[in-house]
Amino acid sequence: PPNEFFIVFGFISFILAFIPFYWHLRAANVGTCLFMAWAGLSCLNSSINAIIWNHNVINSAPVWCDISTRFMVGVSMGLPASCLVILARLYKISSLKSAQMTRGERHRELIMDLSVGLGLPVLHTTLEVVINANRFQIWEGYGCTAEPWPTWLTWLIFYPWPFVVTVVACIFGGLAYWHLRRRALQAQEFESSNRAINSARYQRLLSMTAVVLTFTLIVGIGALWTYAQLPLQPQITWAEVHADYDDIVVVPRALMTSTQLFGLEMQRWAAVISALVFFAFFGLADEARLHYRKAYTTLCSVTGLT
């Protein structure tokens, strides 16, 4: 599709992703808040990149590229990691392992959720610096991307881990669904296990993560297949890997292969689809419409409108 088409959808998705953020934050739903943040900010980042490098490959914003590329490396781990946080919590609820938790246990659970949803992306971004041969590359219409050096060390510490986290999240999702079906949870018992998640929201979270993880698995398999096509380079020293670190590679659209174009499109549309899917499940639900009604009523009372 035309680049302008993505720019419009990217900004719309950024706004939609954050509409339910406030009430999920009040309910202390760490996983959903992290998911909204990663998906929404990724849409915003990709849209800005598409605007700056629309029909050009001029290195006009090097500092922005340094920030953008590191952030997008984090997003590749952040989206599946936040899904893992959501599904691990649903598994605990469905197996009644989170019922009657003490304050200390809830505090430890919060630390664990943040360690997975934020810690893993930060670690993934840090490891990328170790095997990154250039500060960034500039692709016409797409903006800045990272370029890891394809060695056995890269396959060990970088390439496969977003896919591995996605698979682990799928396992937790399957366990959560199995426990839900097996136990046939009664409403009162289900509600008492976690006040922030009712049965309807539980079902929506399972459905939303199933859609997102299915798409993420497809993208992850495609990314691993693309990486596997790259010729494996010998592992060399830090100095040799980063010898040309400040050399910026620019790629005009006319020189891109169909595989490269497909990979770049999938990468930036993944966050847009994730944001839209989340809004479809939570931004249009009954509780969301209740919040919209309250906001509308408040606006009318402040402005004096009937």
Side-chain angles (χ1 to χ4, degrees):
N3 207 35
E4 292 77 11
F5 182 79
F6 172 80
I7 293 171
V8 172
F9 264 84
F11 278 111
I12 291 175
S13 301
F14 163 68
I15 296 171
L16 293 179
F18 278 97
I19 286 178
F21 188 85
Y22 176 69
W23 57 83
H24 280 271
L25 184 63
R26 288 190 60 185
N29 295 328
V30 178
T32 53
C33 289
L34 288 172
F35 184 88
M36 284 182 277
W38 286 117
L41 293 176
S42 177
C43 294
L44 178 63
N45 176 82
S46 297
S47 296
I48 293 174
N49 271 294
I51 291 173
I52 296 175
W53 285 281
N54 193 25
H55 306 302
N56 76 89
V57 288
I58 302 172
N59 186 15
S60 55
V63 176
W64 165 258
C65 273
D66 287 329
I67 298 171
S68 176
T69 52
R70 302 290 89 75
F71 174 74
M72 290 308 295
V73 170
V75 168
S76 66
M77 177 65 79
L79 284 176
S82 57
C83 287
L84 175 57
V85 171
I86 294 171
L87 292 170
R89 188 176 184 184
L90 295 184
Y91 164 70
K92 292 178 182 178
I93 294 172
S94 65
S95 59
L96 302 182
K97 293 184 178 181
S98 63
Q100 300 178 349
M101 293 178 63
T102 65
R103 185 175 181 179
E105 289 172 336
R106 293 187 185 280
H107 183 67
R108 286 193 294 272
E109 186 179 63
L110 174 62
I111 293 176
M112 180 61 69
D113 289 346
L114 291 175
S115 298
V116 174
L118 283 178
L120 286 181
V122 170
L123 176 62
H124 191 62
T125 304
T126 303
L127 292 175
E128 189 270 340
V129 176
V130 176
I131 40 82
N132 200 11
N134 304 100
R135 283 176 62 184
F136 51 83
Q137 294 184 345
I138 297 177
W139 300 74
E140 182 181 348
Y142 300 92
C144 312
T145 64
E147 183 61 24
W149 189 252
T151 67
W152 64 265
L153 181 62
T154 307
W155 277 99
L156 179 66
I157 68 174
F158 185 74
Y159 281 156
W161 292 109
F163 180 77
V164 171
V165 172
T166 303
V167 172
V168 174
C170 290
I171 293 172
F172 271 103
L175 290 173
Y177 180 76
W178 181 77
H179 275 290
L180 180 64
R181 299 283 296 182
R182 179 172 176 266
R183 292 182 179 274
L185 296 174
Q186 297 179 356
Q188 291 183 351
E189 188 178 34
F190 187 91
E191 300 284 351
S192 66
S193 66
N194 195 308
R195 295 179 181 178
I197 299 182
N198 55 38
S199 56
R201 187 180 299 172
Y202 185 102
Q203 295 285 357
R204 291 200 303 273
L205 281 170
L206 270 181
S207 301
M208 183 275 295
T209 50
V211 174
V212 171
L213 287 175
T214 299
F215 184 74
T216 305
L217 276 174
I218 295 172
V219 174
I221 293 172
L224 289 177
W225 181 84
T226 302
Y227 295 145
Q229 307 307 306
L230 300 175
L232 196 65
Q233 303 294 327
Q235 181 59 40
I236 51 181
T237 65
W238 169 281
E240 290 174 314
V241 170
H242 296 82
D244 300 320
Y245 190 73
D246 290 324
D247 292 344
I248 308 304
V249 178
V250 297
V251 186
R253 193 177 184 91
L255 299 181
M256 299 180 195
T257 65
S258 58
T259 301
Q260 291 171 334
L261 284 169
F262 181 76
L264 290 167
E265 287 289 350
M266 290 289 284
Q267 182 182 37
R268 68 178 185 176
W269 279 100
V272 171
I273 292 173
S274 298
L276 293 177
V277 168
F278 185 89
F279 181 78
F281 279 101
F282 291 94
L284 302 176
D286 291 339
E287 59 183 338
R289 292 197 293 269
L290 178 62
H291 284 287
Y292 301 151
R293 191 177 300 115
K294 288 181 179 179
Y296 178 73
T297 304
T298 302
L299 178 63
C300 289
S301 63
V302 170
T303 58
L305 296 174
T306 59

